[in-house]
Amino acid sequence: MEIFHISAECYPVAKVGGLADVVGALPKYQNKAGHLARVVIPCYDTKFKKENKFECVHWGFVKLGKFNFSFNVLKETTDKLGFELYLIEIPELFDRKEVYGYEDDIERFLSFQIAALDWIIGRNEMPDVINCHDHHTGLIPFMMLYCDKYKKIQNTPSMITIHNGLYQGQFGFDKLHYLPEFDLAHVNVLEWDHCINSLAVAIKCAWAVTTVSPNYLNEINYSANGLESLFNIVRYKSRGILNGIDTEVWDPAKDKMLEKNYSVENFQKGKQQNKETLCTLFNLDPKKPLFSFIGRLLEEKGGDLLPQASALALSENYKEINILILGSGNQEIENHLNSLLVDYKGNYNTFIGYNEELAHLIYAGADFLLMPSRVEPCGLNQMYSLRYGTIPIVRRTGGLKDTVIDFGDDGNGISHDQASVGDICYSIQRAVSLYKDKKHLNEIRQLGMNTDHSWEKACQEYIEVYNLIINKV
Ligand code: ADP
């Protein structure tokens, strides 16, 4: 089966969060299973682009209203990622350092989607399925169905995978003329809540809708940033497939970013050595339990709760625990977190920014990973931490509920119900008690390390959904 994944991110080419990890892994496992999975993303000004070789396999023009952009399709020449990678190069719009966050994001991602489809329909053979990811590629299923110039691909099934339904890519009808010509009888398909909503369009037009965990699919029926009723309507074509993790990239026995590699056989020594390195780097005490947080510092992740929860936990357990925060996002939260540095020096530290190497070292060296998320469609951090023998402390939501069971129920982690300072601190207290019971602590760590979160099963489920929609043709 030939599959095209079209996305805004792909690890290790361009990463902001979990979307990149999934798009950088799922196609690799689909290829290993005997399919031909390719990835198409925009060509940003990234380290990967600079350090690798590409050949131009196609060029063309995108017309966006009165604007004209020339584009190239660049193919990575070695296939070293485990899949064919294609970058859509539109220098005026994408030759920039960041993936998102520009005023012209609508124009950027619309041009990308049009260029990607122009190239795909210019090929001799159409793929068996097009798998779009999140709202940045949400207009593709619509264009495939209704735009005159894409008639050739009208009968090819499309699927939208929702990694985060909070972000929907809305824009006004004043930009309707950016879309390639289509039969205006279908213009209402574009509308949701008085604007063009890219994610809603994809949900309506794609032949199948998947979310990145089964529990998230249940949750979005009553909490989806305005799309609840739409999710109810399309339930018949929806499925929640729990993400896997790339066990080749995330392997404590081989991870080059660690100070010391280890496996489930010798994890106590290995973890301690990584912890000592981390504690030296961040002026913390390696004899005390180390609690960490890695991620975007936003309300969605419970980031706003971290400063108060850290201050409270440190004052209650002062000199008993360490806390280390790695992340960036809301400036107010960042400042609040940094304001604790003086009072809790020696027990608390932060790294405000994005640092892939440090994230790996933290998964290995921390004892507990905090994830007090309000919304977590799947969450990969808890799966990485389990694999690295670090116990996740999570709020029971989305994919966290599917993957972390409280140790009180013989599970692999610690979980609480509320995204609140009180619940986080209570969980930290339970973790401190657990930390003193080394036998029990190590049993839970072992359980986590032995859990199979590999992509093989999820990969099979994706293929099942593709087959369902292909057989409908
Ligand atoms: P989301 O995509 O919502 O941000 P996920 O849990 O699905 O959350 O994926 C987060 C990914 O991003 C993980 O690979 C995590 O290690 C990584 N990550 C997030 N923030 C940082 C950071 N500041 N530095 C390094 N890695 C980070």
Side-chain angles (χ1 to χ4, degrees), residues 32 146-147 225 273:
K32 281 188 190 180
Y146 301 121
C147 286
N225 205 13
Q273 233 166 301

Side-chain angles (χ1 to χ4, degrees), residues 230-376:
L230 183 58
F231 278 117
N232 274 294
I233 294 168
V234 300
R235 189 77 206 209
Y236 70 96
K237 60 172 181 180
S238 308
R239 179 144 159 195
I241 305 176
L242 188 68
N243 281 339
I245 60 172
D246 190 331
T247 45
E248 288 168 4
V249 175
W250 298 93
D251 180 358
K254 296 193 184 124
D255 190 333
K256 292 199 175 65
M257 299 183 214
L258 305 193
E259 177 68 27
K260 174 82 187 158
N261 289 115
Y262 60 92
S263 68
V264 72
E265 270 81 47
N266 58 358
F267 69 93
Q268 292 183 51
K269 229 169 139 194
K271 280 188 74 64
Q272 185 61 24
Q273 233 166 301
N274 288 298
K275 182 174 174 179
E276 278 165 22
T277 304
L278 262 183
C279 289
T280 308
L281 281 172
F282 289 95
N283 185 32
L284 301 167
D285 184 347
K287 289 190 207 72
K288 294 172 192 157
L290 174 57
F291 293 80
S292 225
F293 172 91
I294 300 172
R296 294 178 294 126
L297 293 169
L298 301 175
E299 280 191 17
E300 171 193 340
K301 297 279 177 194
D304 56 313
L305 304 168
L306 288 173
Q308 215 189 329
S310 301
L312 196 64
L314 284 163
S315 43
E316 276 179 9
N317 297 294
Y318 196 45
K319 303 216 184 299
E320 234 191 307
I321 66 167
N322 298 302
I323 298 182
L324 174 62
I325 312 270
L326 163 63
S328 63
N330 178 307
Q331 186 135 28
E332 220 175 290
I333 301 176
E334 293 176 358
N335 294 343
H336 202 167
L337 286 166
N338 279 342
S339 71
L340 307 178
L341 288 168
V342 177
D343 282 355
Y344 301 108
K345 195 168 171 218
N347 290 88
Y348 172 85
N349 217 329
T350 62
F351 183 103
I352 302 298
Y354 188 93
N355 189 317
E356 190 77 25
E357 286 82 12
L358 180 57
H360 283 243
L361 190 60
I362 292 177
Y363 288 120
D367 295 298
F368 300 96
L369 189 86
L370 297 166
M371 294 185 77
S373 309
R374 289 193 175 79
V375 181
E376 197 63 79

Side-chain angles (χ1 to χ4, degrees), residues 58-62 69-73 89 115 118:
H58 181 84
W59 62 271
F61 287 96
V62 173
F69 301 106
S70 63
F71 74 89
N72 295 314
V73 180
E89 187 183 44
D118 280 1

Side-chain angles (χ1 to χ4, degrees), residues 93 99 228 443:
L93 299 175
V99 173
E228 299 77 5
E443 279 166 7

